[in-house]
Structures are given as structure tokens and as C-alpha cells.
């Protein structure tokens, strides 16, 4: 895909938005569009993940401000949680990033998790690839920060930033090893809160026990734009986006895409209806029911 650029060298966001809609909804031409994508290898995909309430959206806002100073073009894919009950999505990141919504060099798109409790769906991968091929200098992906999304984001990100807050201090010993393995850097946001220094030191010790090389730990106060320059400089380091986990992560990526294609014929709302009818039978057996779908 070669998005139209006007005489001011600005990307045509309408063309990009239409391409994303085609891919997201599996409309006619979706497969051909994806197969025709040509990627700019100099456009890093930056995953920003962490627990709810860590201030990821505010952090993304601040990082965008810094990157825009160099006249960069930035795409943001904000992953919002989908309710497993009504299949709706909060789609709140567009509101939180309102200051950049109309900027000519910033494109923001929200994406529901589509029932993927891990936080990411195959559509995330496909839409991120559309953005990578669209002429942006950076693609930022903010995950919902629940379940396995912290791990899964590494499957499509060249650089993964894990955002934490000082309040997690008592739980630091329980940070799962997978989170340590996928992080390229840790960010302690809201570092003006009590216990931030102790939390940072303890985190560095734990990282040192689990990693051959010490990963950077940044302290930031995103709401006051403090500490963000160092994070932006880290993102822009040469060769940082050489992902040593590429083969493993590509395997996970392909697995998700195959999984999506194999599940494409199953309507989740119809499945819910069929289960409701099946439950009327007093002899209902979950595993026998599953066999009728496999």
C-alpha cells in the first residue's frame, strides 16, 4: 500500500483509515491488501504496556510531543478492552489523546480486543503492519495491560516499554518472568509518589538477577512531562530495534494469524445463543458440545 501524500508531504489519513477498516472488518480486498504491503524497516513499532492505571496514555501523549519536535509522523494504535458480555469496547484512548487527535502528523486509531482476553488479537498484528507500511516514522501500540497482553505485545513490537507505578512495590517480587524477558526498558511513572526510589532500586536488583545485561529503568512523571526526554532518546538509539527474539516472536505472530483464519467461521454471538439452548438439556456436557463445533 502506498498512501497518497499531498504537496506538503503529509500522509492522507483518509486512505490509511479506509485500509485499516477493510482489514479490521475482513472486507473484500483485505487479503490482497495485506499481501501487497511493503514495509519501511526504519519504522519501529513501539509497544507500551503495563497494568491499568499506570498512566500509559499520558505517557504516550508526552512521548508524541517530543517526537513531533523532529517533525516525525506518528501512528498510535490504542488497544481497548472488549467486554466479554456485550462485546462493546471503551475506546477511551481517543479522548485521553484528544490534544493530538487533529494534529496533521499524528494518526490515532482505537481497536477493541475483540474478546481476546490476552489483550491482543490477530487484527492488532494486521493493523500494525498496515500502519508500518503507510509512511509513518513511528508506530506506537498501547495495550490494555491485562492478562497476557504484556507478553503478547512483544510479538509485534520492535521495542517494548513496560510501565509500572510505585504502588506496585509490595508486588514487585511477583512480577512474572515473562514480563522481564520481553521488556527492553522499564518506566516507573508517577515517580513523585512515595516509595518511587525504593521501588526503582528493588526493580533494578530483580532485573539484575534475571538478565545478563541491566535493562534501563526510567523514572517519569508523565502528567508533568518530566523524565520523558530520556525515554524518547532511548527509543531513538541506533540498532535498538534489532529484535533478538524475532524468530520466536514471528512464530507466535503466525500462530495467531492461523488461529484467526481457522476460527473465522465461528460467530461468537451465535455460539452464545447455541450454548443457551444446549443448557436446557439436563445432560449438557461441555466437551461434547465443543465437539459439535470442532
Amino acid at each position: 500500500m502506498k498512501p497518497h501524500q499531498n504537496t506538503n508531504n503529509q500522509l492522507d489519513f483518509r486512505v490509511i483509515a479506509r485500509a485499516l477498516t477493510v482489514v479490521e472488518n475482513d472486507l473484500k480486498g483485505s487479503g490482497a491488501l495485506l499481501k501487497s504491503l511493503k514495509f519501511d524497516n526504519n519504522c519501529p513499532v513501539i509497544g507500551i504496556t503495563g497494568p491499568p492505571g499506570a498512566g500509559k496514555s499520558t505517557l504516550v501523549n508526552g512521548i508524541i510531543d517530543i517526537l513531533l519536535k523532529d517533525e516525525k509522523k506518528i501512528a498510535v494504535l490504542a488497544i481497548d478492552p472488549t467486554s466479554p458480555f456485550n462485546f462493546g469496547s471503551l475506546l477511551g484512548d481517543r479522548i485521553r489523546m484528544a490534544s493530538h487527535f487533529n494534529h496533521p502528523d499524528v494518526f490515532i486509531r482505537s481497536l477493541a480486543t475483540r474478546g481476546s482476553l490476552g489483550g491482543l488479537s490477530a487484527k492488532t498484528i494486521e493493523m500494525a503492519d498496515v500502519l508500518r507500511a503507510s509512511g509513518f516514522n513511528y508506530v506506537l501500540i498501547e495495550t490494555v495491560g491485562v492478562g497476557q497482553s504484556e507478553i503478547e505485545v512483544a510479538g509485534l513490537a520492535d521495542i517494548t516499554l513496560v510501565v509500572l507505578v510505585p504502588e506496585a512495590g509490595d508486588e514487585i517480587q511477583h512480577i512474572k518472568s515473562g514480563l522481564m524477558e520481553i521488556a527492553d526498558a522499564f518506566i516507573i511513572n508517577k515517580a513523585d509518589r512515595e516509595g518511587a526510589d525504593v521501588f526503582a532500586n528493588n526493580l533494578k536488583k530483580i532485573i539484575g538477577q534475571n538478565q545478563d545485561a541491566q535493562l534501563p529503568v526510567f523514572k517519569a512523571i508523565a502528567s508533568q512531562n518530566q523524565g520523558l526526554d530520556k525515554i524518547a532518546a532511548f527509543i531513538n538509539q541506533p540498532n535498538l530495534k534489532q529484535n533478538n527474539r524475532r524468530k520466536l516472536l514471528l512464530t507466535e505472530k503466525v500462530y495467531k494469524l492461523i488461529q484467526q483464519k481457522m476460527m473465522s467461521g465461528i460467530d461468537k454471538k451465535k455460539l452464545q445463543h447455541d450454548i443457551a439452548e444446549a443448557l436446557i438439556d439436563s445432560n449438557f456436557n461441555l466437551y461434547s458440545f465443543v465437539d459439535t463445533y470442532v
Side-chain angles (χ1 to χ4, degrees), residues 16 39 54 63 75 83 95 107 118 127 133 151 175 186 194 215-216 220 251 256 260 265 269:
I16 297 170
F39 302 112
I63 292 174
S83 166
I95 297 173
F107 179 87
M127 293 173 73
I151 310 302
I175 293 178
F186 288 90
E194 184 178 355
L215 298 178
T251 300
K256 274 193 170 293
Q260 174 191 267
K269 289 186 178 179

mmCIF file of all heavy atoms in Angstrom, residues 16 39 54 63 75 83 95 107 118 127 133 151 175 186 194 215-216 220 251 256 260 265 269:
data_model
loop_
_atom_site.group_PDB
_atom_site.id
_atom_site.type_symbol
_atom_site.label_atom_id
_atom_site.label_comp_id
_atom_site.label_asym_id
_atom_site.label_seq_id
_atom_site.Cartn_x
_atom_site.Cartn_y
_atom_site.Cartn_z
ATOM 1 N N ILE A 16 -5.487 5.845 4.770
ATOM 2 C CA ILE A 16 -5.000 4.915 5.797
ATOM 3 C C ILE A 16 -6.161 4.366 6.618
ATOM 4 O O ILE A 16 -6.236 3.168 6.895
ATOM 5 C CB ILE A 16 -3.976 5.624 6.713
ATOM 6 C CG1 ILE A 16 -2.755 6.056 5.903
ATOM 7 C CG2 ILE A 16 -3.562 4.708 7.868
ATOM 8 C CD1 ILE A 16 -1.800 6.961 6.646
ATOM 9 N N PHE A 39 7.084 -2.783 3.638
ATOM 10 C CA PHE A 39 7.404 -2.152 4.908
ATOM 11 C C PHE A 39 8.666 -1.300 4.853
ATOM 12 O O PHE A 39 9.629 -1.632 4.164
ATOM 13 C CB PHE A 39 7.570 -3.217 5.998
ATOM 14 C CG PHE A 39 6.359 -4.081 6.185
ATOM 15 C CD1 PHE A 39 6.382 -5.414 5.846
ATOM 16 C CD2 PHE A 39 5.197 -3.537 6.684
ATOM 17 C CE1 PHE A 39 5.262 -6.207 6.015
ATOM 18 C CE2 PHE A 39 4.068 -4.317 6.859
ATOM 19 C CZ PHE A 39 4.109 -5.653 6.520
ATOM 20 N N ALA A 54 -1.512 2.861 35.233
ATOM 21 C CA ALA A 54 -0.097 3.248 35.277
ATOM 22 C C ALA A 54 0.168 4.546 34.526
ATOM 23 O O ALA A 54 1.278 5.075 34.563
ATOM 24 C CB ALA A 54 0.773 2.132 34.702
ATOM 25 N N ILE A 63 5.396 11.469 25.011
ATOM 26 C CA ILE A 63 6.406 10.997 24.066
ATOM 27 C C ILE A 63 6.112 11.526 22.664
ATOM 28 O O ILE A 63 7.021 11.919 21.927
ATOM 29 C CB ILE A 63 6.465 9.461 24.075
ATOM 30 C CG1 ILE A 63 7.030 8.967 25.417
ATOM 31 C CG2 ILE A 63 7.314 8.938 22.914
ATOM 32 C CD1 ILE A 63 6.998 7.468 25.589
ATOM 33 N N ALA A 75 1.984 7.144 14.300
ATOM 34 C CA ALA A 75 0.707 6.437 14.357
ATOM 35 C C ALA A 75 0.566 5.801 15.728
ATOM 36 O O ALA A 75 1.538 5.283 16.284
ATOM 37 C CB ALA A 75 0.624 5.372 13.274
ATOM 38 N N SER A 83 -15.695 -5.902 26.306
ATOM 39 C CA SER A 83 -16.476 -6.609 27.309
ATOM 40 C C SER A 83 -16.838 -8.002 26.797
ATOM 41 O O SER A 83 -17.346 -8.146 25.695
ATOM 42 C CB SER A 83 -17.760 -5.846 27.620
ATOM 43 O OG SER A 83 -18.672 -6.669 28.332
ATOM 44 N N ILE A 95 -10.168 9.882 23.624
ATOM 45 C CA ILE A 95 -10.482 11.021 24.495
ATOM 46 C C ILE A 95 -9.229 11.464 25.231
ATOM 47 O O ILE A 95 -8.911 12.647 25.298
ATOM 48 C CB ILE A 95 -11.596 10.638 25.494
ATOM 49 C CG1 ILE A 95 -12.884 10.294 24.730
ATOM 50 C CG2 ILE A 95 -11.841 11.767 26.477
ATOM 51 C CD1 ILE A 95 -13.979 9.737 25.608
ATOM 52 N N PHE A 107 -1.667 10.128 13.767
ATOM 53 C CA PHE A 107 -2.852 9.332 13.426
ATOM 54 C C PHE A 107 -3.149 8.407 14.600
ATOM 55 O O PHE A 107 -2.279 7.645 15.042
ATOM 56 C CB PHE A 107 -2.594 8.506 12.166
ATOM 57 C CG PHE A 107 -3.749 7.633 11.753
ATOM 58 C CD1 PHE A 107 -4.759 8.123 10.935
ATOM 59 C CD2 PHE A 107 -3.823 6.313 12.186
ATOM 60 C CE1 PHE A 107 -5.825 7.313 10.553
ATOM 61 C CE2 PHE A 107 -4.884 5.504 11.809
ATOM 62 C CZ PHE A 107 -5.882 6.005 10.988
ATOM 63 N N GLY A 118 -6.391 -11.906 26.364
ATOM 64 C CA GLY A 118 -4.983 -11.564 26.489
ATOM 65 C C GLY A 118 -4.692 -10.136 26.106
ATOM 66 O O GLY A 118 -3.613 -9.640 26.343
ATOM 67 N N MET A 127 -3.269 -4.708 11.580
ATOM 68 C CA MET A 127 -3.414 -3.249 11.524
ATOM 69 C C MET A 127 -2.093 -2.551 11.821
ATOM 70 O O MET A 127 -1.795 -1.496 11.243
ATOM 71 C CB MET A 127 -4.519 -2.811 12.479
ATOM 72 C CG MET A 127 -5.900 -3.292 12.039
ATOM 73 S SD MET A 127 -7.221 -2.977 13.232
ATOM 74 C CE MET A 127 -7.415 -1.199 13.063
ATOM 75 N N ALA A 133 3.480 0.175 7.008
ATOM 76 C CA ALA A 133 3.673 0.329 5.568
ATOM 77 C C ALA A 133 3.120 1.650 5.036
ATOM 78 O O ALA A 133 3.144 1.881 3.826
ATOM 79 C CB ALA A 133 2.999 -0.839 4.843
ATOM 80 N N ILE A 151 2.887 -9.782 27.552
ATOM 81 C CA ILE A 151 3.784 -10.702 26.867
ATOM 82 C C ILE A 151 3.526 -10.666 25.370
ATOM 83 O O ILE A 151 4.453 -10.622 24.564
ATOM 84 C CB ILE A 151 3.579 -12.150 27.383
ATOM 85 C CG1 ILE A 151 3.617 -12.171 28.917
ATOM 86 C CG2 ILE A 151 4.626 -13.082 26.799
ATOM 87 C CD1 ILE A 151 4.865 -11.651 29.540
ATOM 88 N N ILE A 175 6.456 -10.144 40.023
ATOM 89 C CA ILE A 175 6.434 -9.834 38.587
ATOM 90 C C ILE A 175 6.869 -11.073 37.823
ATOM 91 O O ILE A 175 7.924 -11.640 38.077
ATOM 92 C CB ILE A 175 7.379 -8.662 38.266
ATOM 93 C CG1 ILE A 175 6.859 -7.375 38.889
ATOM 94 C CG2 ILE A 175 7.496 -8.478 36.747
ATOM 95 C CD1 ILE A 175 7.756 -6.180 38.664
ATOM 96 N N PHE A 186 12.120 -0.447 31.459
ATOM 97 C CA PHE A 186 11.029 -0.250 32.414
ATOM 98 C C PHE A 186 10.885 1.246 32.690
ATOM 99 O O PHE A 186 11.881 1.970 32.764
ATOM 100 C CB PHE A 186 11.297 -0.982 33.729
ATOM 101 C CG PHE A 186 11.164 -2.469 33.630
ATOM 102 C CD1 PHE A 186 12.249 -3.267 33.293
ATOM 103 C CD2 PHE A 186 9.940 -3.087 33.870
ATOM 104 C CE1 PHE A 186 12.124 -4.641 33.207
ATOM 105 C CE2 PHE A 186 9.807 -4.462 33.790
ATOM 106 C CZ PHE A 186 10.892 -5.239 33.445
ATOM 107 N N GLU A 194 5.269 8.542 46.906
ATOM 108 C CA GLU A 194 6.100 7.964 47.957
ATOM 109 C C GLU A 194 6.542 6.550 47.584
ATOM 110 O O GLU A 194 5.766 5.750 47.065
ATOM 111 C CB GLU A 194 5.307 7.928 49.272
ATOM 112 C CG GLU A 194 6.118 7.443 50.459
ATOM 113 C CD GLU A 194 5.320 7.471 51.753
ATOM 114 O OE1 GLU A 194 4.173 7.963 51.726
ATOM 115 O OE2 GLU A 194 5.841 7.013 52.782
ATOM 116 N N LEU A 215 18.812 -3.843 32.166
ATOM 117 C CA LEU A 215 17.883 -3.052 31.365
ATOM 118 C C LEU A 215 17.703 -1.688 32.015
ATOM 119 O O LEU A 215 17.741 -1.568 33.240
ATOM 120 C CB LEU A 215 16.527 -3.754 31.263
ATOM 121 C CG LEU A 215 16.497 -5.126 30.582
ATOM 122 C CD1 LEU A 215 15.084 -5.687 30.619
ATOM 123 C CD2 LEU A 215 16.986 -5.021 29.150
ATOM 124 N N PRO A 216 17.514 -0.665 31.220
ATOM 125 C CA PRO A 216 17.314 0.665 31.800
ATOM 126 C C PRO A 216 16.001 0.769 32.560
ATOM 127 O O PRO A 216 14.994 0.177 32.162
ATOM 128 C CB PRO A 216 17.329 1.598 30.585
ATOM 129 C CG PRO A 216 17.023 0.728 29.419
ATOM 130 C CD PRO A 216 17.534 -0.638 29.747
ATOM 131 N N ALA A 220 9.646 8.672 35.645
ATOM 132 C CA ALA A 220 8.964 9.742 34.916
ATOM 133 C C ALA A 220 7.737 10.212 35.686
ATOM 134 O O ALA A 220 7.172 9.489 36.499
ATOM 135 C CB ALA A 220 8.543 9.247 33.529
ATOM 136 N N THR A 251 6.979 -16.660 15.160
ATOM 137 C CA THR A 251 6.223 -17.908 15.289
ATOM 138 C C THR A 251 4.894 -17.637 15.982
ATOM 139 O O THR A 251 3.836 -18.122 15.554
ATOM 140 C CB THR A 251 7.029 -18.952 16.097
ATOM 141 O OG1 THR A 251 8.251 -19.222 15.413
ATOM 142 C CG2 THR A 251 6.237 -20.247 16.248
ATOM 143 N N LYS A 256 -1.014 -16.852 15.675
ATOM 144 C CA LYS A 256 -2.249 -16.087 15.897
ATOM 145 C C LYS A 256 -3.021 -15.880 14.599
ATOM 146 O O LYS A 256 -4.247 -15.938 14.577
ATOM 147 C CB LYS A 256 -1.925 -14.742 16.543
ATOM 148 C CG LYS A 256 -1.837 -14.795 18.057
ATOM 149 C CD LYS A 256 -1.824 -13.392 18.623
ATOM 150 C CE LYS A 256 -1.997 -13.452 20.134
ATOM 151 N NZ LYS A 256 -3.332 -13.941 20.514
ATOM 152 N N GLN A 260 -6.703 -17.249 13.811
ATOM 153 C CA GLN A 260 -7.805 -16.399 13.404
ATOM 154 C C GLN A 260 -8.522 -16.967 12.176
ATOM 155 O O GLN A 260 -9.755 -16.993 12.103
ATOM 156 C CB GLN A 260 -7.302 -14.993 13.073
ATOM 157 C CG GLN A 260 -8.395 -14.098 12.503
ATOM 158 C CD GLN A 260 -7.843 -12.821 11.929
ATOM 159 O OE1 GLN A 260 -7.781 -11.829 12.640
ATOM 160 N NE2 GLN A 260 -7.439 -12.821 10.678
ATOM 161 N N GLY A 265 -14.987 -18.903 10.909
ATOM 162 C CA GLY A 265 -16.351 -19.339 10.630
ATOM 163 C C GLY A 265 -17.241 -19.423 11.858
ATOM 164 O O GLY A 265 -18.423 -19.772 11.753
ATOM 165 N N LYS A 269 -21.593 -14.560 18.842
ATOM 166 C CA LYS A 269 -22.943 -14.326 19.339
ATOM 167 C C LYS A 269 -23.835 -15.542 19.099
ATOM 168 O O LYS A 269 -24.659 -15.906 19.943
ATOM 169 C CB LYS A 269 -23.528 -13.085 18.663
ATOM 170 C CG LYS A 269 -22.877 -11.790 19.124
ATOM 171 C CD LYS A 269 -23.572 -10.567 18.542
ATOM 172 C CE LYS A 269 -22.930 -9.294 19.067
ATOM 173 N NZ LYS A 269 -23.554 -8.077 18.520
#
